[in-house]
Amino acid sequence: MRFYMVNFMMHGAIESECYWFTSKVEAQKFFRKMKRDEDCQQVFDIDEYDIPTRKRDLLDWLNIYGNSSLGLN
């Protein structure tokens, strides 16, 4: 399954936030919206993830990308 993540930082925030989308078009709309938002300090790129659907593969993926210390959550 392909998912898209928009990572952004609001003014005064200590950590970034992210929203996930199943559609690249929806992710792009949200990206543009956040770029216009005056309360948003920075919008990072739209990241594309191919997330596995088999249980073992998903577990491996989560152990790589689901680690909050990597800043990818």
Side-chain angles (χ1 to χ4, degrees):
M1 281 187 290
R2 188 152 298 150
F3 284 85
Y4 304 88
M5 182 188 71
V6 178
N7 199 349
F8 59 96
M9 175 90 64
M10 300 303 281
H11 283 291
I14 297 172
E15 295 181 0
S16 66
E17 300 177 47
C18 68
Y19 281 2
W20 290 88
F21 301 88
T22 56
S23 159
K24 189 172 188 175
V25 170
E26 291 300 316
Q28 290 169 333
K29 285 180 187 177
F30 183 76
F31 180 88
R32 288 190 300 270
K33 176 185 170 206
M34 295 310 290
K35 288 288 252 189
R36 292 187 307 266
D37 189 331
E38 294 178 6
D39 293 328
C40 185
Q41 176 180 332
Q42 184 175 3
V43 182
F44 305 97
D45 290 336
I46 298 172
D47 295 317
E48 183 177 313
Y49 292 91
D50 190 15
I51 300 175
T53 56
R54 289 184 20 222
K55 190 174 185 177
R56 180 66 202 169
D57 294 337
L58 177 57
L59 179 60
D60 291 341
W61 187 92
L62 286 169
N63 283 325
I64 294 169
Y65 295 105
N67 187 340
S68 62
S69 66
L70 297 175
L72 297 172
N73 61 351

